[in-house]
Amino acid sequence: MNASEILFRPVTELAPLIKARKLSPVEVVRAFLERIEKVNPKVNAFLTVTADRALDQARQAEKDIAARRYRGPLHGIPYAPKDLIATAGVRTTNGSKVTSNWIPDYESTVTGRLNKAGAILIGKLNLLEFAMGSGQKGLAGPARNPWDLACSPSGSSSGSGAALAAGMAPLTLGSDTGGSIRGPAKSCGVVGLKPTYGRVSLHGVTALSWTLDHVGPMARTVTDVALMLQAIAGSDPNDRNAAAAPVPNYAKALNGGVKGLRLGVPSNYFFDHVHPETAAALHEAISRLKQLGVVQVEVQVRQPGLASSISPVILGAESAAFHQKRLREHADLLDSLVRERLEAGSFYSAVDYIKALRLRTLVMEEMRRVFETCDVLVLPAGNAAPKLEEEIVNTDAPTDPPRAPRPDTFNLANVAGIPALVLPCGFTAGPPSLPLGIQFCARPFDEATLFRVGHAYQSTTDWHKRTAPLNG
Amino acid sequence: MNRRRLIQSLACGATIGSGAGQVTSVLSLEALRNIAEAHGLRLGDERLRVLQPVLERRLPLLRTLREMEIDDRIAPTQGILK
């Protein structure tokens, strides 16, 4: 198999070849390293490439597999985490000048589990500074969208989405506090999962907001995302919020079919002001799922905008607490957007914060009620990727003319802690032709149902098989 | 005067205007400096200038949050509901 054949193949196809020793992990790692060398100067997705270490590990994997010590479907497969996930002995920058030389002496639980499963760290990925910056003034400038280099891959897991779309890695990790996995998945035409709060340990993931943060897998197919979640999910003595809930066999769940599954489509708020091209793609996807046997039910989410009102208070207060010392000592090194957000977060009172957490209870109770009437909730994942210069300006600031009203479809899942999956559902007519995404949410710890729906849909479409042109 | 009172009075005293269809509040640097000093923060003019526009934009949101009434039985939740 030549190198270019490896780059866009799903792990579910590479793994059996590696297991059968028809494909060497060394060939796989080399193919991705060459690709990174060739296209990263354009895309800027990787901040660090661990070439020597990756090749050493690939050689070791080759020996282990030859000696019948095959560890499973991730053995010999490269992966890359967002660069706020600690990797022992490998620089972890948080995308910030403040921590640009930090080399952790401990491993995050997620990367530790991927390493244990035999996956091979190939490098660390660009992001918005501390997952909250503009992407412009961070450590290395913005990552670019492989579908149009003048466009943003969205953030904050910008490199995680861009690396997948450009064929620089088959598996990546992102973090999501208000859509930071799902936005890049949508904008880059890949699959991203924000798991249930507590499903995946946050140990070793630099905090933005302890109670809204999630770390999750990204890949080009739903099956590959399921494989990754299988490896990283579960309780962890190093994170007391990591839940002891049993982790099901996701590979088995994938082929469960969707016949009779109740698909909730909100009749209020979430589909308002969606771009007509996006709306058409979403409705087409829903029709496709109905043909596969899902039953569409209309749902109404009461106070649908509440999550987006309370999220800034929770995030603002928690991030200001986390970064208090950095703000005091290194404010001059921070991106101005990070700085102003942290400064403002310091001004929320304890009463504001606790009130937001009480309102959060109401959001959770409302979602519990919604999921009594449906098994999966479908939401837009936003419109197509914006131009880079539109994304990197201060997104908080008023604009003239004012931005079109746009319902927030991401914060709901963070505030309620429910799992949410984004996958591609079409492309804009263009030029440039940009990916569009659809979002599914489910009950807490029911990622398996999301995988069933996502896989059923993806099995009948080819959006995930298209490759980005790297033009622009 | 405690911090909560200060921020509440600040919120009440802010002028509401509309520019380009968006509601904004107007804060003075002096007011911000007083608030900061009242809870033990001595912020220079540069930091206050960073803060000013952000807080101005967020005051309407905070005001809405504060005005929301919640049933006494509702306790705060982090993570997910058990």
Side-chain angles (χ1 to χ4, degrees):
Chain A
M1 187 180 289
N2 66 43
S4 64
E5 286 177 294
I6 293 172
L7 299 176
F8 290 94
R9 284 213 177 193
V11 172
T12 46
E13 289 181 21
L14 293 175
L17 298 172
I18 290 174
K19 186 182 180 187
R21 299 175 62 204
K22 290 177 181 168
L23 179 64
S24 157
V26 178
E27 284 175 75
V28 176
V29 166
R30 279 217 175 99
F32 283 103
L33 288 174
E34 282 166 16
R35 179 72 173 175
I36 292 168
E37 197 176 343
K38 188 173 166 195
V39 305
N40 197 53
K42 283 184 185 177
V43 180
N44 200 25
F46 276 83
L47 295 179
T48 302
V49 181
T50 52
D52 292 342
R53 172 189 159 132
L55 281 168
D56 284 348
Q57 289 182 350
R59 288 185 201 103
Q60 185 60 47
E62 191 178 69
K63 282 183 200 161
D64 287 345
I65 293 165
R68 296 173 186 267
R69 290 194 295 268
Y70 183 65
R71 296 193 211 172
L74 299 185
H75 201 169
I77 302 290
Y79 78 95
K82 181 176 183 177
D83 204 21
L84 51 58
I85 299 174
T87 41
V90 177
R91 186 176 80 131
T92 301
T93 67
N94 299 303
S96 177
K97 289 168 188 155
V98 181
T99 49
S100 60
N101 295 313
W102 180 44
I103 299 176
D105 57 4
Y106 60 91
E107 191 77 35
S108 72
T109 296
V110 276
T111 53
R113 287 182 177 172
L114 288 173
N115 296 343
K116 198 175 166 198
I120 295 171
L121 179 81
I122 199 167
K124 304 291 296 287
L125 296 166
N126 205 350
L127 69 157
L128 306 191
E129 183 175 4
F130 287 114
M132 67 188 309
S134 65
Q136 187 178 31
K137 295 173 188 165
L139 189 64
R144 294 176 181 276
N145 192 322
W147 293 95
D148 181 347
L149 297 170
C151 285
S152 165
S154 298
S156 63
S157 308
S158 48
S160 307
L164 290 168
M168 288 193 274
L171 304 172
T172 64
L173 286 167
S175 67
D176 189 319
T177 307
S180 288
I181 286 175
R182 292 162 288 159
K186 175 269 299 175
S187 290
C188 296
V190 299
V191 184
L193 173 77
K194 183 206 81 66
T196 307
Y197 186 82
R199 175 56 97 194
V200 180
S201 167
L202 286 166
H203 170 68
V205 180
T206 300
L208 171 56
S209 168
W210 294 282
T211 71
L212 292 170
D213 287 346
H214 300 70
V215 62
M218 299 173 72
R220 280 189 297 274
T221 65
V222 173
T223 47
D224 284 359
V225 163
L227 275 180
M228 272 185 102
L229 184 65
Q230 195 77 59
I232 62 177
S235 61
D236 176 14
N238 289 319
D239 178 1
R240 62 189 172 76
N241 290 318
V247 180
N249 183 331
Y250 294 120
K252 221 172 185 179
L254 280 167
N255 295 313
V258 292
K259 199 164 183 197
L261 207 73
R262 295 170 303 167
L263 182 73
V265 182
S267 58
N268 62 330
Y269 180 75
F270 294 101
F271 284 80
D272 296 347
H273 306 289
V274 171
H275 189 279
E277 234 175 350
T278 310
L282 292 170
H283 288 122
E284 171 61 31
I286 292 167
S287 298
R288 182 73 63 107
L289 284 166
K290 281 161 72 178
Q291 287 165 16
L292 294 171
V294 305
V295 179
Q296 181 178 337
V297 293
E298 186 180 297
V299 296
Q300 196 148 43
V301 180
R302 293 182 297 215
Q303 293 192 290
L306 189 55
S308 55
S309 298
I310 61 180
S311 170
V313 179
I314 298 172
L315 193 156
E318 292 184 5
S319 58
F322 179 74
H323 287 290
Q324 195 176 32
K325 186 165 182 275
R326 263 179 286 274
L327 187 59
R328 203 168 49 229
E329 294 177 0
H330 302 291
D332 55 319
L333 293 178
L334 293 167
D335 174 349
S336 55
L337 184 60
V338 175
R339 187 176 166 189
E340 72 171 45
R341 284 179 172 169
L342 292 177
E343 297 272 22
S346 310
F347 272 69
Y348 291 125
S349 72
V351 175
D352 293 330
Y353 176 69
I354 290 168
K355 187 156 189 186
L357 291 178
R358 293 178 71 203
L359 289 166
R360 180 179 204 172
T361 306
L362 296 179
V363 173
M364 290 172 174
E365 285 178 348
E366 176 61 4
M367 293 318 292
R368 183 181 276 176
R369 187 192 66 78
V370 165
F371 284 116
E372 283 170 3
T373 61
C374 66
D375 303 304
V376 174
L377 183 69
V378 62
L379 298 176
N383 293 323
K387 290 282 180 196
L388 203 52
E389 62 268 23
E390 290 169 27
E391 182 84 349
I392 59 184
V393 294
N394 180 348
T395 49
D396 233 11
T399 56
D400 185 14
R403 285 189 188 87
R406 195 177 56 172
D408 169 13
T409 61
F410 285 145
N411 277 306
L412 179 65
N414 297 80
V415 169
I418 56 176
L421 180 76
V422 164
L423 60 151
C425 71
F427 283 82
T428 61
S433 184
L434 296 168
L436 297 168
I438 188 167
Q439 178 176 203
F440 300 106
C441 302
R443 298 180 186 95
F445 299 107
D446 195 13
E447 286 85 358
T449 299
L450 292 180
F451 292 150
R452 271 168 66 196
V453 175
H455 179 60
Y457 174 72
Q458 207 160 54
S459 300
T460 68
T461 61
D462 70 350
W463 310 120
H464 58 292
K465 292 179 181 169
R466 300 190 183 188
T467 53
L470 293 164
N471 293 331
Chain B
M1 193 182 281
N2 64 26
R3 177 186 163 148
R4 184 174 67 89
R5 280 269 179 85
L6 269 166
I7 294 186
Q8 276 178 343
S9 58
L10 179 70
C12 293
T15 313
I16 304 298
S18 66
Q22 290 168 312
V23 177
T24 54
S25 310
V26 179
L27 292 174
S28 71
L29 278 190
E30 203 48 44
L32 272 182
R33 195 188 326 275
N34 290 340
I35 294 167
E37 283 180 3
H39 57 268
L41 284 174
R42 193 163 289 179
L43 302 182
D45 280 358
E46 192 218 348
R47 281 186 73 173
L48 290 171
R49 267 192 290 272
V50 169
L51 261 172
Q52 186 184 30
V54 193
L55 285 179
E56 280 178 358
R57 289 197 295 275
R58 291 185 183 188
L59 275 174
L61 169 74
L62 268 183
R63 192 176 295 113
T64 307
L65 181 82
R66 287 178 187 140
E67 283 168 3
M68 279 183 191
E69 289 186 15
I70 312 177
D71 188 302
D72 283 350
R73 290 168 294 180
I74 303 296
T77 309
Q78 297 174 325
I80 56 164
L81 278 183
K82 302 284 187 245

